[in-house]
Amino acid sequence: MTIPAKAFQRWLQGIAPDASTADVCRISGIKRTTLAQQLVRGKVSVSTVVSISRAYNINPIAALADFDAYQELAGPQPPPTSCELVSQISTADLLRAMLARPAMDPAGEGSEPPALSPAPHATSVKNWVDAIDDGEVRQRVSAATGIAPQNYSAQLTANRLTAELAVATALTAGVGVAGGLVASGLITEEEAGWPPGARQAALDSLSDGDLAALAGDRLQALGKVLRRQEQDQAQTEKIWENLG
C-alpha cells in the first residue's frame, strides 16, 4: 500500500517545516526525480517514508503510525514470539548452530557458534508466515485483503511482502504488527523494538532435537528450490540448443 501524497506532505511539513524537497532528498538519500514522480502520481511509497523518517531520527514505526492505513502500529507493540524470532535466523546460521552443539561433537564439548547474520534472510518472509500460521492464516488474509491466494503465495515464494500485507498477516495471526515489516526488510529488529539478542536467545532455547528438526525442514525446502532452479536452467539450455 502507498501513502496518499497529501497525507505525506502534511506529515513532512510536520517533521521538517523549513526543509525544501531538495533538502529532504539530500538528507534521506532519495532521488529527487523518484520523490517527484511519486508526488505527481499522488502515491508515495512506504519505503520513502521509512527513509525520510530515519534521516530525521524518527522511528519508522512511529512515522508510519501517523498514517491512517498503519494506525495499528501506534502504541507499544507486543514482543515477537519465539517462533517469529527463530524464523528470522537464516538456514546457514541454523546449521552452524547445530554443528556447534555438544551433541554434534564427538568429544561432547561443542563450540561457540558465530554471531547470527542480520535479518532478513533469503527465506525470511515465508518462514515468518509459516511460524505464525495456524493452518488458515493464508486463507483469512486473502479474504480480508482481497488478494488472490496464488498472488499471496507468489509474494512469499519471492521472499517479499508489501507493508499492507505484512500488517494484515500479523493482525490476522494475532501477533505483533512489526514482525512482518522486519521479515520483509522494511525495518530493522531494533526499530521494531525487538530486545537485543532476542533471536540468539530464542535459538539457544531450542533443544537439540527441535533444532535438528527445524534445520532438516529448512534443508528440505532449500532442496526443492534448488532442484526447481536446476530444472529451469536445463530447460532454458535445451531451448537455446533447439534454436541453434
Side-chain angles (χ1 to χ4, degrees), residues 32-149:
R32 291 181 62 179
T33 53
T34 298
L35 181 56
Q37 289 170 355
Q38 292 180 11
L39 292 174
V40 168
R41 290 197 301 265
K43 299 177 180 179
V44 177
S45 72
V46 172
S47 60
T48 294
V49 173
V50 170
S51 295
I52 294 175
S53 66
R54 286 170 176 160
Y56 285 91
N57 297 315
I58 300 171
N59 186 294
I61 292 286
L64 290 173
D66 284 339
F67 300 98
D68 292 342
Y70 297 99
Q71 288 182 342
E72 293 85 356
L73 291 168
Q77 293 291 314
T81 65
S82 179
C83 289
E84 287 182 277
L85 291 168
V86 172
S87 77
Q88 297 312 295
I89 299 174
S90 71
T91 300
D93 283 341
L94 285 180
L95 294 175
R96 281 190 284 265
M98 184 69 229
L99 293 174
R101 291 285 178 100
M104 297 296 292
D105 186 346
E109 298 178 356
S111 59
E112 187 68 24
L116 298 177
S117 54
H121 57 85
T123 57
S124 56
V125 170
K126 186 177 184 302
N127 290 348
W128 174 71
V129 174
D130 287 342
I132 63 176
D133 192 357
D134 59 3
E136 298 180 354
V137 163
R138 287 168 169 79
Q139 292 86 342
R140 294 201 300 270
V141 170
S142 295
T145 63
I147 186 173

Side-chain angles (χ1 to χ4, degrees), residues 141-224:
V141 170
S142 295
T145 63
I147 186 173
Q150 62 269 26
N151 292 339
Y152 184 58
S153 296
Q155 288 202 33
L156 302 187
T157 300
N159 201 45
R160 60 183 177 84
L161 198 63
T162 64
E164 176 189 14
L165 283 176
V167 170
T169 302
L171 291 174
T172 299
V175 298
V177 180
L181 303 181
V182 174
S184 63
L186 183 66
I187 63 173
T188 66
E189 302 168 62
E190 181 180 4
E191 291 167 343
W194 290 10
R199 289 189 303 142
Q200 184 65 59
L203 175 60
D204 292 342
S205 71
L206 293 177
S207 68
D208 290 346
D210 288 341
L211 178 55
L214 178 59
D217 290 341
R218 292 278 194 92
L219 282 176
Q220 186 176 28
L222 177 60
K224 291 179 180 179

